[in-house]
Each structure stands twice: as C-alpha cells, then as structure tokens.
Amino acid sequence: MPTDPRALHFDPLPYEARLETRPLSQVDLVVLHCTELPDLATAREYGERVLYPDSGTGNSGHYYIDRDGSCHRYAALDRIAHHVRGYNPRSVGVELVNGGRHPQWLDSRHQAMEEPYPDAQVDALIRLLHALQGELPALRYVAGHEDLDTAMVPASDDPAILVPRKRDPGPRFPWQRVLDAVPLQRLA
Ligand SMILES: [Zn+2]
C-alpha cells in the first residue's frame, strides 16, 4: 500500500540531540525555504553534514516537504536548528523540495528559479502551518529566507557582478495563497 503523502514522517537528524534546546514560548516565526537541490535524499545528505565541529551539528530545517506533499520532521520544535542567519532561536525552518538555482546557485546567468511549487506541496505546507499554530502559542509571523537574508555576494562566473546569497523560496512561491489560508503576518 502506498504511503499516505499527508502523513508526517519522523526522521530525526543524527545530531538532533546535540542542537540547543529552547522553550516553545519563544518561537514566533516560521521561515520558509526551498532546498535548491534536486530531491529530498540530497537535501537529507546536506542536512546531515557536520559543519560545526564544536557542537557536532550542521545546517538544516525542522521540516522538509517533498513535491508530493509528504512531510518529514528532521528536528523537534524545542531544538534550535541552523537554517537562517540571525533568527534561529525564535524560528521554525520549513524547507520545500525545489531545485531553485541548483547547481549554479551563484552564477549570474542562472538566477531564475523556474520550478513551480506543486499544489500537493503547497497544501501540505498550509496543513503544517495550521498544525504549528496549534503547537506554538507565540507563533505570529512567517517570512521567506530571502526576506531575512538580503546579503549580496560576488557571482561565481564574474566577481564584478553581485547576486543574492539567498533567494529562496523565490518568485514562484505562492505567497498570497498561503497568507490567505493561514493567519500569519509576513515579516519582510
Ligand atoms: Zn533557505
């Protein structure tokens, strides 16, 4: 029998227990990302990489939503995951599987993010946001990674050109549909 894509799958990262803890009452923000990678398996590999030897942790969101709407929890809400500069302690990171600019993230000639977000994936995101509202008493805001990290960096093909370090979830993300469905305020 095929797995119901609406089910929530618990797939804790190997280092989940080494992420710092926090009270749920300090979480008031959801940050939306896209993986800018080809598929969930590759995103998992990136998430598992240890980048901070002192703590034995790396970069990852709390939740990953695949193109078919299946939702995977990589880190519990009372853990501080590393997914956005400056906002981690107060936020939940939600990653949508989408190719984004992969594999030429910072190439000035490949800055379009053309892959659409399928309905099943957006529906699953809306369901998750509703569920998070039930679990997080202080939750009020939602933002795109691109709203919070606006740094520009030299392009990989021509250092004289600047490109955005982060552009996710990007121009194809259906903001209006999500904001109409969920009573959160966009922090941008
Ligand atoms: Zn991001």
Side-chain angles (χ1 to χ4, degrees), residues 4-5 9 11-12 24 40 47 55 58 72 76 83 100-101 107 109 116 141 161 165 172 174:
D4 183 349
H9 307 270
D11 306 319
L24 294 185
L40 182 64
S55 60
H72 303 258
H83 58 96
R101 299 173 292 180
D107 189 311
R109 300 158 299 177
Y141 302 109
I161 301 173
R165 198 176 87 86
R172 299 297 298 264

Side-chain angles (χ1 to χ4, degrees), residues 44-67:
R44 177 74 184 193
E45 269 176 49
Y46 274 67
E48 287 190 2
R49 285 184 194 171
V50 171
L51 304 174
Y52 312 109
D54 289 350
S55 60
T57 64
N59 292 336
S60 123
H62 292 83
Y63 292 89
Y64 284 71
I65 302 176
D66 209 344
R67 295 176 176 96

Side-chain angles (χ1 to χ4, degrees), residues 36-175:
E36 296 207 82
L37 290 169
D39 53 38
L40 182 64
T42 312
R44 177 74 184 193
E45 269 176 49
Y46 274 67
E48 287 190 2
R49 285 184 194 171
V50 171
L51 304 174
Y52 312 109
D54 289 350
S55 60
T57 64
N59 292 336
S60 123
H62 292 83
Y63 292 89
Y64 284 71
I65 302 176
D66 209 344
R67 295 176 176 96
D68 68 357
S70 67
C71 184
H72 303 258
R73 197 184 80 177
Y74 284 13
L77 290 170
D78 64 353
R79 298 282 169 177
I80 299 175
H82 309 130
H83 58 96
V84 56
R85 285 179 177 177
Y87 295 84
N88 287 321
R90 63 183 273 196
S91 70
V92 179
V94 177
E95 295 268 1
L96 304 166
V97 174
N98 181 292
R101 299 173 292 180
H102 176 269
Q104 293 160 303
W105 297 278
L106 299 180
D107 189 311
S108 67
R109 300 158 299 177
H110 292 89
Q111 289 300 297
M113 297 172 77
E114 286 165 356
E115 182 180 340
Y117 290 90
D119 284 342
Q121 193 179 35
V122 177
D123 290 345
L125 171 64
I126 290 169
R127 279 195 302 275
L128 174 62
L129 292 173
H130 282 138
L132 291 176
Q133 286 201 295
E135 290 187 65
L136 300 168
L139 184 59
R140 265 187 76 191
Y141 302 109
V142 61
H145 196 181
E146 62 192 310
D147 300 325
L148 304 179
D149 187 339
T150 54
M152 302 292 286
V153 293
S156 52
D157 57 308
D158 180 354
I161 301 173
L162 294 177
V163 296
R165 198 176 87 86
K166 296 296 175 186
R167 244 207 125 182
D168 58 305
R172 299 297 298 264
F173 182 75
W175 274 108

